[in-house]
Amino acid sequence: MYRMDPIQYRLPQSRIPQAWYNIQPDLPKPLAPVLHPGTLKPIGPDDLTPLFPMSLILQEVSTEREIEIPEEVRQVYAQWRPSPLFRARRLEKVLDTPARIYYKYEGVSPAGSHKPNTAVAQAYYNKKEGAKRLITETGAGQWGSALAMACAFFGLECKVYMVRVSYDQKPYRRALMEVFGASVTASPSDETESGRAILAQNPQSNGSLGIAISEAVEAAAKDPHTKYALGSFLNHVLLHQTVIGLEAMEQMALAGDEPDVIIGCTGGGSNFAGLAMPYLGRKIRGQCQAHVVAVEPAACPSLTKGKFTYDFADTGHLTPLVKMHTLGSSFIPPGIHAGGLRYHGMAPLVSHVMDLGLIEASAVQQLDAFAAGIQFARAEGIIPAPEANHAVAGAISEALRAKQEGKQRTILFNLSGHGHFDMQSYIDYQAGKLQNYDYPAEEIAMALAGLPTVA
Amino acid sequence: MYRMDPIQYRLPQSRIPQAWYNIQPDLPKPLAPVLHPGTLKPIGPDDLTPLFPMSLILQEVSTEREIEIPEEVRQVYAQWRPSPLFRARRLEKVLDTPARIYYKYEGVSPAGSHKPNTAVAQAYYNKKEGAKRLITETGAGQWGSALAMACAFFGLECKVYMVRVSYDQKPYRRALMEVFGASVTASPSDETESGRAILAQNPQSNGSLGIAISEAVEAAAKDPHTKYALGSFLNHVLLHQTVIGLEAMEQMALAGDEPDVIIGCTGGGSNFAGLAMPYLGRKIRGQCQAHVVAVEPAACPSLTKGKFTYDFADTGHLTPLVKMHTLGSSFIPPGIHAGGLRYHGMAPLVSHVMDLGLIEASAVQQLDAFAAGIQFARAEGIIPAPEANHAVAGAISEALRAKQEGKQRTILFNLSGHGHFDMQSYIDYQAGKLQNYDYPAEEIAMALAGLPTVA
C-alpha cells in the first residue's frame, strides 16, 4: 500500500539520453561568427586545433539537432545519471505558497555539480584523439574537480589553474582535485606570460576566471600532446549539459506537470543552458510557454547590465572574439563567494537567446542568495553551492510572488551543485562577515570603453 | 538500443521498505539483559524514560520481526532512499580481479552518510511524544549533522556535543550542523559535571565519544522537555539502519547476483548492522552462506582485541551496563581521522552475533585505509569518509585475494558516507603527516582491569 506523496522522480540507467540536444539548427537567427582577433575574419576549425580535439570543434559549429552520446560517455554518466528531479514539498510548506516547486539536482555527481556532464565527454574525445594531458582553469573549483575526476577515469594527466581567491578560500576543493591526481596552481601564477603580466600590475591579485583562462590557454598551446578544456561558455560545453533538460522533461512528465517558470543561475551559462535549451527548443516550436529566467550575481551582472557585443573570452586577450553579453574582458569582478559566477562574459548561445527575447534575466545580491540557500537547506536538507543559491533565490521569489497573487504556478529550477566545499562561505555569512556589492558601474564602464571595435 | 554495462541498481520511491527488520526474534540465543549499574538487576522501560520516548524504548526490546516504518518517516526517506547500489566495474578493472564488487552508497543522503536513516526516525518519535529539544554527541560529525537536519525537518531544537578533536579538525562539519540550526559545543566542555571532571584531569583532552555521551546524557536528563538521541550502538538505532540491507537484497536480485562476502566498517556498529542484519536473518534461516566481515581500525579494535563482557557505554559511567565487546570504558582511543570509529565498545547486537559466530572481524591500519580510499576515489569518483575507507580496504583485500586464488567472488560492501567534510585528513595523508597506531595494549589492559564485576 503506497500512500506517500511523490517527491522524487527517478529514471533508470537505461533512460540516460542517447543524444545531446543542439539548439543551433532550431534558432530563428544563427549565432554571430567567432572572429580572429587579428584579421577580424571568421575563424575556421583549423584555428582551434592547437587547443581542442576535432570532435569538439565540429560539435561547436554543428547544425545537427541531435548529437549521439558515445556509449563510453553514457557508461560513465551512469555513475550518477539520470540525476533525480525532486519536488520541494517541505520548502513549499515553509513558504506557504500555492506554487509547486521542482528542482533537478546535479549535486549527486561524484564531483558534486553538473560539471562532470561535459568533463567526461571532453576527456573521452581528447583521449580518443591522442591527447596525453588536459589543462584548464577553475573558479570555485567545481569544474576543476570534475575534469580531474574525468581525467582519472580516462587515464589523462590534468593540470588546473585555480583562481587565487578560491585557491585560498577553498583548500578542500583543491584537495579533491589532488586526490583525483591533478596538479593545481593558484592563478595568476608566474608560470605563464599572462600570469606574470597581471602579477606585475598587482602582486596581490585575487585572480579571475578571465585571467586563469589566459594562463591555461597559453600553457596548453605550448605542447602538442596537451589540449585545453573549458568548463562553460562554449557551444559544445553547453551541448553536453543538455542531458539535464532532456531528463527533466521526462521527469516532469512522470510528475504529470509542466513548468511555467524555468530558472538557473548563470556565470558562464552552462548549467542554465543545460536545463533551459531543450525547453527553448520546444518554445521556438511553439510547444512551451514557460518563462525562462537566468539569475546572476548583482556583483557581476553580464546579462542584466552588460553590452551585447564582440569581446575576448579571457583577460589576456589570447582567445578569438565572440559576440556575447559582456562587462568588458578587463573587468575583474569582486571576490564574491559564488566563484563560479565571477566571469565578465556570458556564453554566446545564452547571450544570443537573450537577445532573441527567448529568456529573461535578473540579478541577486550575495546576502539574499545565502539567505535563500539556508532556508532551502533547512527545508530540503541539501546545502546548495553559493552559485546555486542564486537559482534558489530566484525560485523562492517566484514562489512568493505566486503566493502574493494567489495563483498556482509550477517552478522548475536547476540545483547545479552542493555546497560541501563551500562551508567557509556559510560560516562567514552566518558570522555577518559577507557583504553585498553595488553594481560596479565605473569599473564596468571603463572595461567596456576598452572593447575592440568590430564593424 | 541499450548496450551499456549496468553499474547502478536503483529502486523507485515506492520501493522504500515498509518495515524495519528486527533480528532479535530470529537470534538462536537472546541478547544479554541491560543492567542497572547500582543494583546489577535488569533495567525496565521506565528506567529509560528520562532519556528516550516510549516508542524507541519499546523498539529497543521488541520481539516483532517487522516493525512498520511510519509514513512520515518514509516520506522523509524519499529524499534519498532507496539509496543506489553500484557495481564498481572501474575498480574491478583497476584491481584486475575476477571478483564482482558491489557497494551500497549511503553518502547520497543530504547529510552525507547512513546516519539520517535513524536520525529522522528518532526525531519523528520524539516530536510525536512531545519533546521540544534533542541533545546528542557526535564524533566525526556525521551523526550530529544528520540529527541537526532531522530536527530542522520536524521543528525540534538540537544541541550537539562534538568530540574536541573533530571539532578542531572539522570546522565545516560543525558549520553544516549550524546551517541546519543546531548549536554545537566542543566536548569535553565545562557545561557538565562529566566534562569538568575530564578537563580537571586533562585540560588539553582531545575528547572521545565515550566522554561526549556522558555530557549529552547528563544534560538531557536535566530537562523534561529534552530527550537524548544516540547515533549508533543501541538496538533501535541498528534497527532503523536495516533499510540498507533490505534495499540491497532487492537490488542484488535486480543485478542477478548474490554476495559471497558482505563488508562494513564498525565503530559503534550501526552502518555495518544496517547492511548485515537482514542477511544474517537469512543466514540463521539457512538461506545465505555469505561471510559477513566487520572491519575496524587497528587503533581501536573492540571486536578483534576487546573483551566480551559488561561495561558502561560512556566514560563518565552514567549509562546502564551492557554486554559487548569492549576495550574498557575508560580507554580513550588515539586521534585517528576516522572519528566515527573512535569508540571503546561495540553495539550489543553486533557483539552478540560475533559471539554466536555469525560474523567475522578484521582490523585495518589508518594508512592502509586511506590508500584504499584514494584508489577507490580515482576509479569510482566518490571520495569515501575515513570511516568508510575501512570497508573499502576490506573489499579491496577480498578482491585481491580472489585474484590470487583465481576465483570468482561476489563482494558487497557498505559505502557508509562521503568524505567531503574530511578533506583535511586526505591533505594530511597525501602530505605524509598521518601515521599508523600500534594496538595500544597497555592502555587497553588498564582500562579492562577497571571493568565492573558482573556475575
Side-chain angles (χ1 to χ4, degrees):
Chain A
M1 196 177 45
Y2 174 65
R3 292 173 306 168
M4 284 190 287
D5 294 324
I7 66 165
Q8 59 164 251
Y9 300 93
R10 288 196 182 273
L11 301 169
Q13 178 173 339
S14 58
R15 297 305 304 155
I16 293 170
Q18 310 252 352
W20 293 297
Y21 167 66
N22 178 19
I23 198 171
Q24 293 199 57
D26 288 333
L27 289 172
K29 189 179 133 186
L31 278 177
V34 174
L35 304 181
H36 189 285
T39 65
L40 298 187
K41 295 267 187 315
I43 60 165
D46 289 349
D47 293 311
L48 295 171
T49 49
L51 295 182
F52 300 106
M54 192 48 77
S55 324
L56 294 177
I57 295 171
L58 294 178
Q59 287 181 3
E60 193 64 20
V61 294
S62 171
T63 52
E64 296 293 316
R65 185 171 289 111
E66 297 204 326
I67 295 177
E68 195 188 343
I69 306 176
E71 209 165 304
E72 294 86 341
V73 172
R74 294 176 74 227
Q75 184 70 59
V76 178
Y77 278 177
Q79 185 78 38
W80 72 96
R81 304 216 71 84
S83 69
L85 179 91
F86 289 109
R87 170 130 177 232
R89 288 186 188 265
R90 288 187 299 269
L91 180 63
E92 291 170 14
K93 205 171 158 192
V94 168
L95 298 175
D96 187 26
T97 173
R100 292 193 286 266
I101 306 173
Y102 296 86
Y103 57 100
K104 181 75 169 159
Y105 185 37
E106 291 294 308
V108 294
S109 81
S113 78
H114 63 295
K115 294 294 189 188
N117 296 331
T118 184
V120 168
Q122 292 189 46
Y124 166 77
Y125 288 117
N126 273 288
K127 178 74 178 185
K128 199 177 160 198
E129 296 189 28
K132 302 288 178 212
R133 187 167 76 134
L134 293 183
I135 298 190
T136 196
E137 71 290 321
T138 197
Q142 289 189 338
W143 165 244
S145 47
L147 192 70
M149 180 192 84
C151 285
F153 289 175
F154 287 99
L156 292 163
E157 286 177 56
C158 184
K159 155 110 188 172
V160 182
Y161 289 94
M162 186 173 189
V163 174
R164 166 61 76 181
V165 63
S166 293
Y167 187 91
D168 292 337
Q169 279 173 356
K170 303 186 177 180
Y172 295 169
R173 231 344 141 176
R174 174 162 38 105
L176 180 58
M177 293 183 249
E178 288 167 352
V179 165
F180 287 135
S183 82
V184 184
T185 301
S187 166
S189 78
D190 60 7
E191 293 179 2
T192 66
E193 282 179 39
S194 320
R196 287 190 293 271
I198 297 287
L199 289 174
Q201 280 171 32
N202 176 10
Q204 307 305 320
S205 170
N206 265 342
S208 72
L209 269 176
I211 296 169
I213 292 173
S214 295
E215 292 205 82
V217 165
E218 182 187 327
K222 278 183 193 149
D223 174 5
H225 298 295
T226 296
K227 296 287 176 187
Y228 169 69
L230 189 61
S232 187
F233 194 75
L234 294 174
N235 302 340
H236 70 267
V237 179
L238 275 54
L239 172 78
H240 300 153
Q241 294 295 352
T242 58
V243 289
I244 300 172
L246 293 168
E247 290 173 6
M249 283 176 169
E250 193 167 334
Q251 291 165 311
M252 288 300 294
L254 274 182
D257 215 340
E258 264 295 321
D260 301 306
V261 191
I262 295 165
I263 296 170
C265 65
T266 44
S270 77
N271 93 73
F272 168 78
L275 178 63
M277 289 301 170
Y279 280 102
L280 291 178
R282 284 192 183 177
K283 200 166 172 173
I284 292 168
R285 295 191 292 277
Q287 297 157 349
C288 165
Q289 276 74 46
H291 291 272
V292 181
V293 186
V295 185
E296 59 186 9
C300 190
S302 57
L303 280 174
T304 52
K305 302 275 190 179
K307 191 170 167 187
F308 185 50
T309 186
Y310 273 99
D311 194 3
F312 293 94
D314 71 323
T315 306
H317 296 181
L318 302 180
T319 69
L321 289 167
V322 284
K323 194 167 182 193
M324 60 176 166
H325 286 83
T326 179
L327 301 167
S329 46
S330 64
F331 171 63
I332 297 181
I336 53 170
H337 273 275
L341 309 184
R342 289 183 67 240
Y343 184 60
H344 67 274
M346 181 51 57
L349 258 180
V350 173
S351 296
H352 189 69
V353 295
M354 176 84 181
D355 188 54
L356 291 172
L358 290 166
I359 66 167
E360 301 149 43
S362 69
V364 168
Q365 282 285 4
Q366 172 154 277
L367 298 183
D368 297 330
F370 275 98
I374 287 184
Q375 187 169 38
F376 182 84
R378 290 186 183 172
E380 296 292 311
I382 299 168
I383 312 285
E387 292 81 7
N389 280 343
H390 292 75
V392 175
I396 289 178
S397 85
E398 283 290 343
L400 293 178
R401 194 179 316 160
K403 178 181 176 179
Q404 209 173 17
E405 297 171 1
K407 282 188 191 160
Q408 209 292 309
R409 189 170 298 160
T410 298
I411 300 163
L412 168 62
F413 74 97
N414 196 13
L415 190 64
S416 54
H418 62 60
H420 300 170
F421 297 97
D422 306 287
M423 294 310 293
Q424 190 60 49
S425 65
Y426 281 93
I427 293 174
D428 292 347
Y429 171 73
Q430 299 217 95
K433 288 185 192 162
L434 298 192
Q435 57 174 110
N436 286 335
Y437 290 91
D438 288 333
Y439 164 55
E442 206 169 317
E443 292 94 318
I444 291 173
M446 272 180 59
L448 288 175
L451 288 186
T453 311
V454 177
Chain B
M1 197 177 46
Y2 175 63
R3 294 172 303 169
M4 284 190 286
D5 294 325
I7 66 165
Q8 61 165 251
Y9 300 93
R10 289 197 182 272
L11 301 169
Q13 177 173 340
S14 57
R15 297 306 304 157
I16 293 170
Q18 310 253 350
W20 293 298
Y21 168 66
N22 179 19
I23 199 173
Q24 292 199 60
D26 288 333
L27 290 171
K29 189 179 131 186
L31 278 177
V34 174
L35 305 181
H36 189 285
T39 65
L40 298 186
K41 296 269 192 302
I43 60 164
D46 289 348
D47 293 310
L48 295 172
T49 50
L51 295 182
F52 300 107
M54 191 49 75
S55 324
L56 295 177
I57 295 171
L58 295 177
Q59 287 180 3
E60 193 63 20
V61 294
S62 171
T63 53
E64 298 292 318
R65 185 170 290 112
E66 296 203 325
I67 295 178
E68 194 188 343
I69 305 177
E71 207 165 306
E72 294 86 342
V73 171
R74 294 177 73 227
Q75 184 69 59
V76 178
Y77 278 177
Q79 186 80 38
W80 71 96
R81 304 215 73 83
S83 68
L85 179 92
F86 289 108
R87 172 132 176 229
R89 289 186 189 265
R90 288 187 300 268
L91 180 64
E92 290 170 15
K93 206 172 157 191
V94 168
L95 298 175
D96 188 26
T97 173
R100 291 193 287 268
I101 307 173
Y102 297 85
Y103 57 100
K104 181 76 169 160
Y105 185 36
E106 291 293 308
V108 294
S109 80
S113 78
H114 63 295
K115 295 293 188 188
N117 296 332
T118 184
V120 168
Q122 292 190 46
Y124 166 78
Y125 289 117
N126 272 289
K127 177 74 177 186
K128 199 177 160 198
E129 296 189 26
K132 303 286 179 213
R133 188 166 77 134
L134 293 183
I135 298 191
T136 195
E137 70 291 320
T138 198
Q142 289 189 338
W143 165 243
S145 46
L147 193 69
M149 181 193 82
C151 285
F153 289 175
F154 287 99
L156 292 163
E157 286 177 56
C158 184
K159 155 111 189 172
V160 183
Y161 289 95
M162 185 173 190
V163 173
R164 166 61 75 181
V165 63
S166 294
Y167 187 91
D168 293 338
Q169 280 173 355
K170 302 186 178 181
Y172 295 170
R173 231 346 142 175
R174 173 162 38 104
L176 180 59
M177 294 183 249
E178 289 168 350
V179 165
F180 288 134
S183 81
V184 185
T185 302
S187 165
S189 78
D190 60 6
E191 293 178 2
T192 65
E193 283 180 37
S194 320
R196 288 190 292 270
I198 296 287
L199 289 174
Q201 281 171 34
N202 176 10
Q204 306 306 320
S205 170
N206 265 340
S208 72
L209 268 177
I211 296 169
I213 292 174
S214 296
E215 292 204 82
V217 165
E218 182 187 327
K222 278 182 193 152
D223 173 6
H225 298 296
T226 296
K227 295 289 175 187
Y228 169 68
L230 189 62
S232 188
F233 194 75
L234 295 174
N235 302 341
H236 70 268
V237 179
L238 275 54
L239 172 78
H240 300 154
Q241 293 296 351
T242 58
V243 287
I244 301 172
L246 293 168
E247 290 173 5
M249 283 174 167
E250 194 167 333
Q251 290 165 313
M252 288 300 294
L254 273 183
D257 213 339
E258 264 294 321
D260 301 306
V261 192
I262 294 166
I263 295 170
C265 65
T266 45
S270 77
N271 93 73
F272 168 79
L275 178 63
M277 290 300 170
Y279 280 102
L280 291 177
R282 285 192 183 177
K283 199 167 174 174
I284 292 166
R285 295 191 293 277
Q287 297 158 348
C288 164
Q289 276 74 46
H291 291 272
V292 181
V293 187
V295 185
E296 59 186 10
C300 190
S302 58
L303 280 173
T304 54
K305 302 277 189 177
K307 192 171 165 185
F308 185 50
T309 185
Y310 274 98
D311 194 3
F312 292 94
D314 71 322
T315 306
H317 295 181
L318 302 180
T319 69
L321 289 167
V322 284
K323 194 167 181 191
M324 60 176 167
H325 287 82
T326 179
L327 301 167
S329 46
S330 65
F331 170 63
I332 296 181
I336 54 169
H337 274 274
L341 309 183
R342 290 182 67 239
Y343 183 61
H344 68 273
M346 181 51 57
L349 258 179
V350 173
S351 296
H352 189 69
V353 295
M354 176 85 181
D355 188 55
L356 291 171
L358 290 165
I359 68 166
E360 301 150 42
S362 69
V364 167
Q365 282 285 5
Q366 173 154 275
L367 297 183
D368 297 330
F370 275 98
I374 286 183
Q375 187 168 39
F376 182 84
R378 290 186 183 173
E380 297 292 311
I382 299 169
I383 313 283
E387 292 81 8
N389 281 341
H390 292 75
V392 174
I396 289 177
S397 86
E398 284 290 342
L400 293 178
R401 194 180 314 158
K403 177 183 179 179
Q404 207 172 20
E405 296 171 2
K407 282 188 191 159
Q408 208 292 308
R409 189 168 299 159
T410 298
I411 300 164
L412 168 62
F413 74 97
N414 195 13
L415 189 65
S416 54
H418 63 61
H420 300 172
F421 296 97
D422 306 288
M423 295 309 295
Q424 190 60 48
S425 65
Y426 281 93
I427 293 174
D428 292 347
Y429 171 74
Q430 299 217 94
K433 289 186 192 163
L434 296 192
Q435 57 174 109
N436 286 336
Y437 291 91
D438 288 334
Y439 165 56
E442 205 169 315
E443 293 93 319
I444 291 172
M446 272 181 58
L448 288 174
L451 288 186
T453 312
V454 178

